[in-house]
Amino acid sequence: MANKKNRGTETKPVSLITLINQSSPVSEQYRTIRTNIQFASTIDHEVKTLVVTSSGPGEGKSTTSANLAVVFANAGQRVLLVDADLRKPTVHKTFSLQNNVGFSNLLSTKETMNDVIQPTVVPNLSVLTSGPKPPNPSELLSSSRMDQLVRELRGGFDLVIFDMPPVVQVTDAQIMSSKVDGTMLVVREGIAIKESVMKAQKLLQMVNANLLGVIYHGTKNATDQGYYYYGT
Ligand SMILES: Nc1ncnc2c1ncn2[C@@H]1O[C@H](COP(=O)(O)OP(=O)(O)OP(=O)(O)O)[C@@H](O)[C@H]1O
Ligand SMILES: [Mg+2]
Protein backbone atom coordinates (compact mmCIF):
# COMPACT_ATOMS: atom_id res chain seq x y z
CA MET A 1 0.00 0.00 0.00
CA ALA A 2 1.32 3.44 -0.90
CA ASN A 3 2.48 5.45 2.06
CA LYS A 4 1.31 8.98 1.35
CA LYS A 5 3.33 10.45 4.21
CA ASN A 6 6.58 9.42 2.57
CA ARG A 7 5.70 10.51 -0.94
CA GLY A 8 8.39 12.76 -2.34
CA THR A 9 11.14 11.79 0.07
CA GLU A 10 11.15 8.00 0.41
CA THR A 11 12.61 6.17 -2.57
CA LYS A 12 12.32 2.58 -3.74
CA PRO A 13 14.52 0.23 -5.75
CA VAL A 14 13.62 -0.03 -9.43
CA SER A 15 13.00 -3.22 -11.36
CA LEU A 16 16.00 -4.73 -13.13
CA ILE A 17 14.08 -6.57 -15.82
CA THR A 18 17.26 -6.93 -17.89
CA LEU A 19 18.76 -8.95 -15.06
CA ILE A 20 15.67 -10.92 -14.06
CA ASN A 21 14.45 -11.83 -17.52
CA GLN A 22 16.95 -11.27 -20.29
CA SER A 23 14.70 -12.71 -22.98
CA SER A 24 11.67 -10.50 -22.22
CA PRO A 25 10.53 -8.04 -24.92
CA VAL A 26 11.38 -5.14 -22.59
CA SER A 27 14.96 -6.40 -22.21
CA GLU A 28 15.13 -6.65 -25.98
CA GLN A 29 14.02 -3.00 -26.18
CA TYR A 30 16.84 -1.98 -23.86
CA ARG A 31 19.28 -3.81 -26.12
CA THR A 32 17.83 -1.90 -29.10
CA ILE A 33 18.45 1.36 -27.27
CA ARG A 34 21.99 0.16 -26.55
CA THR A 35 22.54 -0.46 -30.26
CA ASN A 36 21.27 3.00 -31.17
CA ILE A 37 23.50 4.68 -28.59
CA GLN A 38 26.44 2.67 -29.93
CA PHE A 39 25.65 3.90 -33.45
CA ALA A 40 25.50 7.49 -32.19
CA SER A 41 29.07 7.11 -31.00
CA THR A 42 31.61 8.03 -33.68
CA ILE A 43 35.39 8.42 -33.64
CA ASP A 44 34.97 12.19 -33.73
CA HIS A 45 32.29 12.21 -31.07
CA GLU A 46 32.46 9.19 -28.77
CA VAL A 47 29.49 8.67 -26.47
CA LYS A 48 31.16 7.63 -23.22
CA THR A 49 29.23 9.80 -20.78
CA LEU A 50 25.46 9.80 -20.83
CA VAL A 51 22.78 11.69 -18.91
CA VAL A 52 19.35 10.13 -18.47
CA THR A 53 16.63 12.58 -17.54
CA SER A 54 12.94 13.35 -18.12
CA SER A 55 10.73 16.39 -18.02
CA GLY A 56 8.94 15.52 -14.78
CA PRO A 57 9.16 13.12 -11.83
CA GLY A 58 8.37 9.41 -11.89
CA GLU A 59 8.76 8.89 -15.64
CA GLY A 60 11.25 6.03 -15.37
CA LYS A 61 14.68 7.70 -15.40
CA SER A 62 16.16 5.45 -12.72
CA THR A 63 14.59 2.32 -14.24
CA THR A 64 15.98 3.23 -17.64
CA SER A 65 19.45 4.18 -16.35
CA ALA A 66 19.86 0.98 -14.34
CA ASN A 67 18.64 -1.32 -17.12
CA LEU A 68 20.75 0.43 -19.74
CA ALA A 69 23.74 0.04 -17.46
CA VAL A 70 23.05 -3.71 -17.21
CA VAL A 71 22.69 -4.28 -20.98
CA PHE A 72 25.86 -2.31 -21.76
CA ALA A 73 27.74 -4.30 -19.09
CA ASN A 74 26.32 -7.52 -20.56
CA ALA A 75 27.88 -6.51 -23.87
CA GLY A 76 31.29 -6.51 -22.17
CA GLN A 77 31.66 -2.77 -21.67
CA ARG A 78 33.04 -1.48 -18.38
CA VAL A 79 30.10 0.55 -17.13
CA LEU A 80 29.67 2.96 -14.24
CA LEU A 81 26.18 3.95 -13.13
CA VAL A 82 26.26 7.21 -11.17
CA ASP A 83 23.38 8.18 -8.92
CA ALA A 84 23.44 11.87 -9.78
CA ASP A 85 19.96 12.36 -8.38
CA LEU A 86 21.29 13.78 -5.14
CA ARG A 87 17.77 14.78 -4.13
CA LYS A 88 15.94 11.41 -4.56
CA PRO A 89 18.61 8.72 -4.82
CA THR A 90 17.57 5.15 -5.65
CA VAL A 91 20.56 3.35 -7.18
CA HIS A 92 21.91 2.01 -3.84
CA LYS A 93 18.51 0.47 -3.17
CA THR A 94 18.24 -1.08 -6.62
CA PHE A 95 21.65 -2.76 -6.26
CA SER A 96 21.38 -3.36 -2.47
CA LEU A 97 24.49 -1.31 -1.68
CA GLN A 98 25.59 0.88 1.22
CA ASN A 99 25.29 4.62 0.63
CA ASN A 100 27.45 6.05 3.42
CA VAL A 101 29.84 7.51 0.89
CA GLY A 102 29.34 8.27 -2.76
CA PHE A 103 29.06 10.90 -5.46
CA SER A 104 28.48 13.84 -3.09
CA ASN A 105 31.70 12.98 -1.21
CA LEU A 106 33.68 12.93 -4.46
CA LEU A 107 32.38 16.41 -5.21
CA SER A 108 32.86 17.99 -1.84
CA THR A 109 35.79 16.21 -0.20
CA LYS A 110 39.12 14.73 -1.12
CA GLU A 111 37.82 11.19 -1.58
CA THR A 112 39.08 9.50 -4.72
CA MET A 113 37.12 7.46 -7.28
CA ASN A 114 38.51 4.17 -6.00
CA ASP A 115 37.41 4.94 -2.42
CA VAL A 116 33.75 5.24 -3.31
CA ILE A 117 32.96 3.25 -6.46
CA GLN A 118 31.38 -0.13 -5.65
CA PRO A 119 31.18 -3.33 -7.70
CA THR A 120 27.78 -4.93 -8.29
CA VAL A 121 26.55 -8.48 -8.82
CA VAL A 122 26.57 -7.74 -12.55
CA PRO A 123 29.97 -8.39 -14.14
CA ASN A 124 31.51 -5.19 -15.63
CA LEU A 125 29.01 -2.96 -13.82
CA SER A 126 30.14 -0.62 -11.06
CA VAL A 127 28.04 1.88 -9.17
CA LEU A 128 28.69 5.27 -7.64
CA THR A 129 25.89 5.77 -5.15
CA SER A 130 24.70 9.29 -4.35
CA GLY A 131 26.38 9.60 -0.95
CA PRO A 132 24.90 11.80 1.80
CA LYS A 133 22.40 14.42 0.67
CA PRO A 134 24.17 17.74 0.18
CA PRO A 135 22.37 21.05 0.82
CA ASN A 136 23.43 22.43 -2.57
CA PRO A 137 23.29 19.81 -5.37
CA SER A 138 23.22 22.31 -8.25
CA GLU A 139 26.29 24.18 -6.99
CA LEU A 140 28.21 20.93 -6.60
CA LEU A 141 27.29 19.80 -10.11
CA SER A 142 28.26 23.12 -11.69
CA SER A 143 31.65 23.22 -9.93
CA SER A 144 34.97 22.85 -11.72
CA ARG A 145 35.52 19.75 -9.57
CA MET A 146 32.61 18.20 -11.46
CA ASP A 147 34.29 18.93 -14.81
CA GLN A 148 37.43 17.25 -13.55
CA LEU A 149 35.43 14.29 -12.25
CA VAL A 150 33.67 13.77 -15.58
CA ARG A 151 37.08 13.62 -17.25
CA GLU A 152 38.39 11.15 -14.65
CA LEU A 153 35.34 8.88 -14.85
CA ARG A 154 35.35 9.05 -18.66
CA GLY A 155 38.94 7.84 -18.60
CA GLY A 156 38.21 5.00 -16.19
CA PHE A 157 35.21 3.41 -17.91
CA ASP A 158 33.84 2.63 -21.36
CA LEU A 159 30.50 4.17 -20.43
CA VAL A 160 29.34 6.36 -17.53
CA ILE A 161 25.58 6.79 -17.07
CA PHE A 162 24.28 9.62 -14.88
CA ASP A 163 20.81 9.06 -13.40
CA MET A 164 19.47 12.61 -12.95
CA PRO A 165 16.47 14.45 -11.47
CA PRO A 166 13.78 15.81 -13.83
CA VAL A 167 15.06 18.65 -16.00
CA VAL A 168 12.10 21.01 -15.74
CA GLN A 169 11.97 21.09 -11.94
CA VAL A 170 15.61 21.56 -11.03
CA THR A 171 18.62 22.63 -13.04
CA ASP A 172 20.85 19.62 -12.21
CA ALA A 173 20.18 17.65 -15.41
CA GLN A 174 20.64 20.75 -17.55
CA ILE A 175 24.02 21.39 -15.92
CA MET A 176 25.17 17.80 -16.40
CA SER A 177 23.86 17.60 -19.97
CA SER A 178 26.24 20.39 -20.89
CA LYS A 179 29.17 18.35 -19.56
CA VAL A 180 28.52 14.93 -21.08
CA ASP A 181 28.64 13.38 -24.55
CA GLY A 182 24.94 12.63 -24.86
CA THR A 183 21.53 12.92 -23.20
CA MET A 184 18.52 10.61 -23.31
CA LEU A 185 15.08 11.96 -22.47
CA VAL A 186 12.63 9.51 -20.90
CA VAL A 187 8.93 10.15 -21.56
CA ARG A 188 6.27 8.05 -19.85
CA GLU A 189 2.77 7.91 -21.26
CA GLY A 190 0.13 9.08 -18.81
CA ILE A 191 2.68 10.83 -16.60
CA ALA A 192 4.49 13.20 -18.95
CA ILE A 193 2.77 16.48 -19.79
CA LYS A 194 3.22 17.58 -23.40
CA GLU A 195 4.12 21.19 -22.57
CA SER A 196 6.58 20.00 -19.99
CA VAL A 197 8.30 17.66 -22.49
CA MET A 198 8.60 20.56 -24.94
CA LYS A 199 10.05 22.72 -22.19
CA ALA A 200 12.53 19.97 -21.33
CA GLN A 201 13.72 19.88 -24.92
CA LYS A 202 14.12 23.66 -24.91
CA LEU A 203 16.08 23.63 -21.66
CA LEU A 204 18.41 20.98 -23.06
CA GLN A 205 18.86 22.88 -26.31
CA MET A 206 19.74 26.01 -24.34
CA VAL A 207 22.84 24.32 -22.95
CA ASN A 208 23.70 22.69 -26.29
CA ALA A 209 22.99 19.22 -24.94
CA ASN A 210 23.54 16.44 -27.44
CA LEU A 211 20.05 14.93 -27.29
CA LEU A 212 20.55 11.42 -28.64
CA GLY A 213 16.99 10.22 -28.37
CA VAL A 214 13.73 9.92 -26.50
CA ILE A 215 12.81 6.72 -24.70
CA TYR A 216 9.07 6.33 -24.62
CA HIS A 217 7.45 4.13 -21.99
CA GLY A 218 3.86 3.17 -22.67
CA THR A 219 1.45 2.37 -19.86
CA LYS A 220 -0.73 -0.41 -21.26
CA ASN A 221 1.59 -3.35 -20.82
CA ALA A 222 5.21 -4.23 -20.31
CA THR A 223 5.89 -4.65 -24.02
CA ASP A 224 4.46 -1.27 -24.88
CA GLN A 225 7.74 0.46 -24.66
CA GLY A 226 9.17 2.33 -27.58
CA TYR A 227 12.22 4.19 -28.60
CA TYR A 228 12.39 7.19 -30.84
CA TYR A 229 15.71 8.02 -32.20
CA TYR A 230 16.50 11.62 -32.98
CA GLY A 231 19.76 11.11 -34.80
CA THR A 232 22.71 13.36 -34.34
N1 LIG B 1 7.61 1.69 -18.23
C1 LIG B 1 7.09 1.62 -17.01
N2 LIG B 1 5.87 1.07 -16.84
C2 LIG B 1 5.32 0.99 -15.62
N3 LIG B 1 5.92 1.43 -14.48
C3 LIG B 1 7.13 1.96 -14.59
C4 LIG B 1 7.79 2.11 -15.85
N4 LIG B 1 8.98 2.70 -15.64
C5 LIG B 1 9.06 2.93 -14.32
N5 LIG B 1 7.96 2.47 -13.69
C6 LIG B 1 7.66 2.57 -12.26
O1 LIG B 1 7.43 3.93 -11.96
C7 LIG B 1 8.04 4.30 -10.73
C8 LIG B 1 9.05 5.41 -10.98
O2 LIG B 1 10.09 4.88 -11.78
P1 LIG B 1 11.56 5.45 -11.64
O3 LIG B 1 11.98 5.50 -10.22
O4 LIG B 1 12.42 4.72 -12.60
O5 LIG B 1 11.27 6.93 -12.20
P2 LIG B 1 12.15 8.22 -12.04
O6 LIG B 1 11.88 9.03 -13.27
O7 LIG B 1 13.55 7.86 -11.75
O8 LIG B 1 11.49 8.91 -10.77
P3 LIG B 1 12.04 10.15 -9.94
O9 LIG B 1 11.65 11.37 -10.71
O10 LIG B 1 11.33 10.01 -8.63
O11 LIG B 1 13.53 10.00 -9.85
C9 LIG B 1 8.68 3.04 -10.19
O12 LIG B 1 7.80 2.47 -9.27
C10 LIG B 1 8.86 2.15 -11.39
O13 LIG B 1 8.81 0.78 -11.07
MG1 LIG C 1 14.86 8.48 -10.23
Side-chain angles (χ1 to χ4, degrees):
M1 199 169 68
N3 183 346
K4 285 192 177 171
K5 257 199 236 163
N6 286 335
R7 197 181 285 167
T9 53
E10 188 56 27
T11 62
K12 288 194 209 141
V14 302
S15 162
L16 287 175
I17 181 80
T18 48
L19 203 57
I20 300 160
N21 186 355
Q22 293 196 6
S23 58
S24 74
V26 174
S27 296
E28 187 52 39
Q29 288 278 2
Y30 280 112
R31 288 191 289 272
T32 303
I33 298 167
R34 178 186 69 196
T35 304
N36 283 301
I37 293 170
Q38 284 167 336
F39 271 106
S41 189
T42 63
I43 291 171
D44 289 340
H45 193 101
E46 264 193 295
V47 178
K48 289 189 75 184
T49 49
L50 190 67
V51 152
V52 176
T53 188
S54 64
S55 59
E59 291 196 53
K61 297 175 288 296
S62 298
T63 307
T64 302
S65 312
N67 282 286
L68 274 183
V70 170
V71 293
F72 270 100
N74 285 345
Q77 298 211 20
R78 287 169 305 131
V79 181
L80 177 69
L81 174 61
V82 181
D83 200 340
D85 191 338
L86 298 169
R87 300 160 195 269
K88 280 173 74 178
T90 53
V91 175
H92 60 290
K93 293 190 179 173
T94 300
F95 289 90
S96 304
L97 297 169
Q98 293 291 323
N99 190 26
N100 303 327
V101 287
F103 188 38
S104 60
N105 302 92
L106 272 187
L107 288 171
S108 56
T109 65
K110 293 223 179 316
E111 306 274 359
T112 64
M113 261 167 58
N114 295 337
D115 295 333
V116 291
I117 290 173
Q118 303 183 61
T120 68
V121 290
V122 183
N124 301 318
L125 176 57
S126 302
V127 156
L128 177 53
T129 62
S130 67
K133 258 181 213 178
N136 53 348
S138 309
E139 280 75 21
L140 288 182
L141 296 175
S142 53
S143 65
S144 56
R145 171 73 183 127
M146 187 65 236
D147 293 337
Q148 186 196 349
L149 197 56
V150 169
R151 279 195 298 274
E152 278 175 30
L153 296 174
R154 201 175 187 278
F157 293 88
D158 297 321
L159 181 70
V160 184
I161 299 176
F162 293 91
D163 178 9
M164 301 296 313
V167 68
V168 172
Q169 295 192 326
V170 288
T171 189
D172 303 12
Q174 214 186 359
I175 294 166
M176 284 305 295
S177 286
S178 71
K179 298 182 191 291
V180 295
D181 304 322
T183 295
M184 302 293 294
L185 189 67
V186 177
V187 175
R188 184 152 153 219
E189 186 186 316
I191 305 253
I193 300 160
K194 191 178 164 196
E195 289 72 25
S196 187
V197 175
M198 286 162 69
K199 181 153 189 211
Q201 279 184 273
K202 248 190 211 144
L203 289 168
L204 293 171
Q205 278 163 5
M206 274 169 64
V207 294
N208 288 324
N210 179 20
L211 186 56
L212 296 176
V214 173
I215 296 170
Y216 178 76
H217 294 282
T219 52
K220 292 184 196 77
N221 58 58
T223 60
D224 186 15
Q225 182 166 268
Y227 175 66
Y228 294 89
Y229 184 59
Y230 269 37
T232 45

